[in-house]
Amino acid sequence: MNRVSFGGASPRARVLRGVVLGTLATFVGLAAHAASVATVDINKFMFMPMEITVAPGTTVRWINHDETPHTVISQDKTKLFVSKAMDTDDKFEFVFAKEGDYTYVCSVHPFMTGVVHVRKQ
């Protein structure tokens, strides 16, 4: 036997809909947080911006817009991240998992430097 509810869905359907929507919102929020990307453009022999602050788990994407090849190499002793030589419109990405300050350089043009600050927000 089907029960008809005047004035909208039954209380049980409203609760179920609320649970489903709440769960979906949580997953969307987690996916948005996990998929956050910050971009650093390489243009006119500069990293722009030269310093960037991101949350842990953020992917930083460098894009070379110059006609000249560039690299992105961390300046710490472990060489945490090292890109290949990037031609025009090539990209390099790295996920910053831990808080800290990460300085980097273009090995081809050592006057080109930048910093990624990773902080909980």
Side-chain angles (χ1 to χ4, degrees), residues 12 23 40 44 48 51 55 62 77 84 87 97 106 121:
R12 183 176 180 187
T23 303
V40 175
K44 298 181 182 175
M48 295 190 287
E51 292 192 36
W62 290 266
K77 292 178 183 180
K84 66 176 182 66
D87 287 323
C106 172
Q121 298 175 347

Side-chain angles (χ1 to χ4, degrees), residues 18-100:
V19 169
V20 169
L21 291 176
T23 303
L24 180 60
T26 300
F27 283 120
V28 168
L30 289 174
H33 178 71
S36 57
V37 176
T39 300
V40 175
D41 292 311
I42 303 170
N43 199 357
K44 298 181 182 175
F45 291 83
M46 293 179 64
F47 294 111
M48 295 190 287
M50 290 176 67
E51 292 192 36
I52 190 167
T53 302
V54 299
T58 300
T59 299
V60 175
R61 176 183 299 143
W62 290 266
I63 305 172
N64 183 12
H65 298 291
D66 280 343
E67 300 280 327
T68 304
H70 295 291
T71 63
V72 178
I73 299 176
S74 65
Q75 289 188 299
D76 67 334
K77 292 178 183 180
T78 64
K79 298 291 185 219
L80 183 62
F81 51 93
V82 177
S83 77
K84 66 176 182 66
M86 295 182 290
D87 287 323
T88 305
D89 295 328
D90 281 351
K91 298 174 181 128
F92 172 71
E93 294 183 350
F94 184 79
V95 177
F96 288 87
K98 292 183 181 178
E99 287 187 274

Side-chain angles (χ1 to χ4, degrees), residues 3-17:
R3 191 167 68 181
V4 176
S5 174
F6 293 99
S10 70
R12 183 176 180 187
R14 285 193 301 263
V15 168
L16 182 58
R17 181 176 55 210

